[in-house]
Amino acid sequence: MYLSDVSSQSALSADQVLDKLTRLLGASQLQADPEKNEHYRMGWRSGGGSTLAVLFPKTLLDIWRSLEVCVEGNCIIIMQAAKTGLTEGSTPSGNDYDRLVIVINTLAINQLYLVNDNEQVIGLPGATLHQLQSQLNLVNRAPHSVIGSSTLGASIIGGVSNNSGGALVKRGPAYTELALFAQINKHGQLVLVNHLDIDLGDSPEEILTNLQNGDFDKKELPDSGKLASDKEYIARVTDVDASTPSRFNADKRRLYEASGCAGKLAVFAVRLDTYPTAAREKTFYIGSNSVNELAQLRRQILSSFKNIPEVGEYMHRDIFDVSAKYGKDTFLSIKHLGTDALPRLFSIKGAIDARLNKWSWMPKHFTDKVMQFLGNMFPKHLPKRMLEYRDEYEHHLIVKMSDDGIEEAQDFLKSFFQSSETGAYFECDKEESESAFLNRFAAAGAALRYEVIHEKEVGEILALDIAIPRNELDWLETLPKEIEQHLEKKLYYGHFFCYVFHQDYILKKGSDAHLVKKMMLALLDERGAKYPAEHNVGHLYEAEPDLQNFYKSLDPTNTFNPGIGQMSKTKRNCSCCV
């Protein structure tokens, strides 16, 4: 642990802070013009606020030295990487902070180091999940998580910091007890903590420079017994009689330093497990018109299989349709250009949107409307059997099995559906498997696109991600009339075996989103559900007491990302002034 000489006992003026940061980083790595830094101040779906400046450091040491200036200036610090969060957690929120706000964007610092014979990886702040997948593919290993449905740009540290889940049934939320981070103690002093369990030196200069340059032994790092993944998750998800959800953001089992910190620390690196790739994989496409039938299928698979599924993704017919029509351009882009091209395309689209939004005469969401028009010009893109199942069945389940689990699933599904009058399944060929998962991948973006295209006819989108108890059989909600009357569309999809669902509601024009959300959350409380399940509280949800206490323990002065979890934005703990 290293304690910096600076503290927040005396604040600098805004001009002094900007002058020090400019001299430290150079003008090219700092943007204080509100028009030019707007993209970094605005949330991916919603939210945003003002900032004194956005910083773009090139090295870990630059981040540390920028933090020292921010602490000396008594500034609020918001750490940001890919800015892909769905709950406004990686940008300022409003303009009612009590101190100057500095955003530090870390995307330029994207080194990854495979260690211990590729069984673990060390990721720096800007390294993305897509980047990790690509690197691990070369050595026949798999990451802790796979690309989610919101975007391809998500950072590894962002996932760990927000307990992000994902589609992999066996691996649970991103979690590690091995991290290198900076925090501000109760006396307002900046502290560097090396819990990577790697000897990198004694000073911040040595530690951060050696880490970024990869100057350490990568072959035989010591095993201290600390976890680099949630090794208990399989046992947890297969406990189908438990009356609590399998995973959710406020689960104090998995709140540990960087894991779940939600930006209350400045995380420089995390160390995570990787996994062997499967020798064989097979996808099964299941359709049913019975909620209970799918509940029994889930229960039997999780409680009796020796090899549980790799993936089990649910889609209701309504989101199937929305994704097929409004996610078509995303589907076709990935299929024909590959996933490697998409982060760049998202970046280009974001830059164009930022430019066009400054022109008042341009239609809102112009690029989305152009992409939708172009997508509609292409012929139907989904395989015949998927479209037939869409017509016949309300509920769709995509299950991927690996190795010995393939034969186990083949025998089980044949027996399970042999006499069923409400459901059926087929084994996917390569194209059907790819199409099924691409259609599911496009769902979240398609829901947003639907709202954009129909903005004159419909109201806001209310997006919830929830986790329901593992023993629940009636897993699909039934809404009362007082809620139903406000809804234009209900879109249900999610990670079925984990019982984590994304529920997107397109409201009717004129409906009050805050009122509808309040009624929705009250209903979820009655069901014993937890929310959010994997996108964290951000500024949209109230943090539960356990989560609030965790945030306060990490950041006693409330300097990092204040206001998340709908907590106070003001400075806390006067001991720093004593």
Side-chain angles (χ1 to χ4, degrees):
M1 180 182 293
Y2 177 89
L3 189 65
S4 173
D5 292 332
V6 303
S7 72
S8 57
Q9 292 184 15
S10 60
L12 303 173
S13 69
D15 287 342
Q16 289 173 316
V17 170
L18 283 177
D19 180 62
K20 284 201 168 196
L21 289 172
T22 302
R23 282 190 280 118
L24 170 66
L25 299 174
S28 64
Q29 295 177 43
L30 180 149
Q31 184 51 260
D33 186 333
E35 289 192 8
K36 294 181 179 178
N37 66 25
E38 181 182 11
H39 171 73
Y40 303 94
R41 298 185 291 104
M42 307 305 292
W44 193 68
R45 268 186 172 169
S46 61
S50 61
T51 180
L52 178 64
V54 180
L55 312 184
F56 304 94
K58 302 294 185 184
T59 68
L60 294 177
L61 190 56
D62 280 347
I63 295 179
W64 172 258
R65 288 172 173 161
S66 297
L67 292 174
E68 288 186 312
V69 175
C70 291
V71 171
E72 185 184 3
N74 192 30
C75 298
I76 283 169
I77 302 162
I78 298 177
M79 303 300 298
Q80 177 190 94
K83 197 178 71 74
T84 60
L86 302 183
T87 56
E88 306 178 8
S90 56
T91 58
S93 179
N95 305 310
D96 56 343
Y97 293 98
D98 63 337
R99 290 153 285 169
L100 301 172
V101 178
I102 297 290
V103 174
I104 303 179
N105 184 283
T106 64
L107 267 186
I109 309 168
N110 62 356
Q111 286 87 346
L112 283 173
Y113 299 108
L114 296 178
V115 298
N116 289 348
D117 198 24
N118 303 323
E119 292 184 357
Q120 289 187 325
V121 63
I122 295 171
L124 272 55
T128 65
L129 189 53
H130 177 263
Q131 182 185 345
L132 176 58
Q133 281 185 292
S134 299
Q135 195 162 327
L136 288 176
N137 284 341
L138 301 176
V139 294
N140 294 317
R141 300 288 292 182
H144 61 285
S145 185
V146 295
I147 300 300
S149 58
S150 58
T151 180
L152 283 169
S155 69
I156 296 167
I157 284 181
V160 171
S161 297
N162 290 294
N163 296 122
S164 296
L168 298 179
V169 181
K170 299 177 180 179
R171 296 176 200 170
Y175 180 76
T176 187
E177 295 167 0
L178 297 160
L180 172 66
F181 57 88
Q183 67 182 143
I184 296 172
N185 66 20
K186 66 180 180 180
H187 302 293
Q189 298 167 307
L190 185 65
V191 182
L192 183 66
V193 181
N194 181 8
H195 285 170
L196 282 174
D197 286 356
I198 304 172
D199 184 6
L200 294 165
D202 298 317
S203 68
E205 289 78 9
E206 290 180 314
I207 293 169
L208 298 173
T209 301
N210 287 336
L211 176 60
Q212 184 153 6
N213 293 339
D215 291 338
F216 56 90
D217 181 14
K218 303 179 187 64
K219 293 183 179 179
E220 295 184 7
L221 295 183
D223 181 2
S224 61
K226 292 182 180 179
L227 295 177
S229 62
D230 187 351
K231 297 183 184 299
E232 301 172 352
Y233 191 70
I234 289 180
R236 188 169 178 83
V237 78
T238 54
D239 185 2
V240 294
D241 293 316
S243 59
T244 55
S246 58
R247 57 180 168 96
F248 54 98
N249 289 129
D251 185 357
K252 61 182 179 181
R253 297 170 51 254
R254 291 296 174 252
L255 298 175
Y256 185 91
E257 295 181 345
S259 297
C261 72
K264 302 302 280 184
L265 302 171
V267 184
F268 292 100
V270 293
R271 182 172 156 189
L272 294 163
D273 289 331
T274 69
Y275 301 83
T277 56
R280 298 181 298 137
E281 289 184 334
K282 170 68 75 172
T283 299
F284 300 86
Y285 199 96
I286 297 165
S288 179
N289 288 316
S290 169
V291 168
N292 183 261
E293 183 174 59
L294 288 188
Q296 293 300 332
L297 178 143
R298 171 189 173 273
R299 187 177 181 86
Q300 291 183 43
I301 287 176
L302 290 178
S303 61
S304 66
F305 273 33
K306 292 180 181 178
N307 306 278
I308 67 171
E310 297 289 332
V311 180
E313 292 295 288
Y314 168 77
M315 297 183 78
H316 187 273
R317 177 189 281 149
D318 289 344
I319 189 64
F320 180 105
D321 290 345
V322 167
S323 189
K325 182 174 182 179
Y326 298 94
K328 190 175 182 180
D329 57 306
T330 299
F331 181 108
L332 294 173
S333 296
I334 297 175
K335 183 171 183 178
H336 296 294
L337 300 178
T339 54
D340 289 344
L342 251 68
R344 178 62 179 159
L345 293 178
F346 275 121
S347 176
I348 293 172
K349 179 183 180 297
I352 294 173
D353 285 337
R355 173 77 53 105
L356 296 182
N357 287 341
K358 300 184 191 322
W359 299 343
S360 58
W361 51 270
M362 283 294 296
K364 294 176 69 175
H365 310 293
F366 181 73
T367 59
D368 281 285
K369 291 171 181 176
V370 169
M371 292 164 69
Q372 185 62 34
F373 174 78
L374 294 175
N376 289 339
M377 296 176 66
F378 287 85
K380 286 186 177 180
H381 58 292
L382 295 179
K384 179 182 177 182
R385 286 200 290 184
M386 280 179 62
L387 293 173
E388 290 174 347
Y389 265 50
R390 179 264 166 230
D391 293 339
E392 191 166 352
Y393 300 110
E394 181 180 2
H395 308 291
H396 297 243
L397 185 61
I398 312 159
V399 179
K400 180 182 287 185
M401 303 297 300
S402 63
D403 299 330
D404 292 342
I406 296 173
E407 287 75 26
E408 196 171 12
Q410 287 171 329
D411 293 341
F412 169 79
L413 292 173
K414 181 178 180 180
S415 172
F416 186 86
F417 286 108
Q418 192 167 24
S419 58
S420 174
E421 296 181 355
T422 54
Y425 77 99
F426 63 84
E427 295 186 21
C428 296
D429 59 27
K430 184 178 179 180
E431 181 186 358
E432 289 168 332
S433 176
E434 180 186 55
S435 296
F437 283 111
L438 282 178
N439 195 48
R440 165 63 185 89
F441 172 87
L448 283 173
R449 177 70 62 75
Y450 178 93
E451 180 202 17
V452 165
I453 299 300
H454 298 277
E455 60 184 343
K456 293 182 179 179
E457 304 101 59
V458 303
E460 298 179 52
I461 184 171
L462 174 60
L464 303 178
D465 68 293
I466 69 163
I468 64 173
R470 286 164 278 173
N471 63 355
E472 181 66 73
L473 295 178
D474 193 15
W475 49 270
L476 188 66
E477 68 183 6
T478 301
L479 296 175
K481 287 184 179 179
E482 55 264 30
I483 294 179
E484 194 79 53
Q485 65 182 347
H486 293 284
L487 306 182
E488 186 74 29
K489 269 191 180 297
K490 299 176 293 183
L491 304 173
Y492 300 114
Y493 53 107
H495 317 303
F496 190 68
F497 290 102
C498 302
Y499 260 2
V500 169
F501 294 95
H502 301 290
Q503 301 183 171
D504 293 346
Y505 306 94
I506 310 294
L507 304 186
K508 291 182 178 178
K509 202 74 172 175
S511 288
D512 185 337
H514 294 289
L515 173 63
V516 176
K517 181 178 180 179
K518 184 177 180 180
M519 292 190 290
M520 286 283 191
L521 297 186
L523 190 65
L524 291 174
D525 290 338
E526 291 177 14
R527 295 179 64 195
K530 292 287 188 179
Y531 50 84
E534 60 179 5
H535 289 304
N536 220 337
V537 291
H539 288 278
L540 297 185
Y541 294 89
E542 181 180 359
E544 293 187 7
D546 285 338
L547 197 55
Q548 290 195 29
N549 291 335
F550 177 63
Y551 291 158
K552 290 177 182 178
S553 71
L554 295 181
D555 182 26
T557 64
N558 204 24
T559 297
F560 283 105
N561 213 6
I564 59 166
Q566 298 182 358
M567 297 169 65
S568 171
K569 291 182 177 179
T570 58
K571 189 167 184 177
R572 188 170 53 237
N573 197 319
C574 291
S575 63
C576 62
C577 304
V578 175

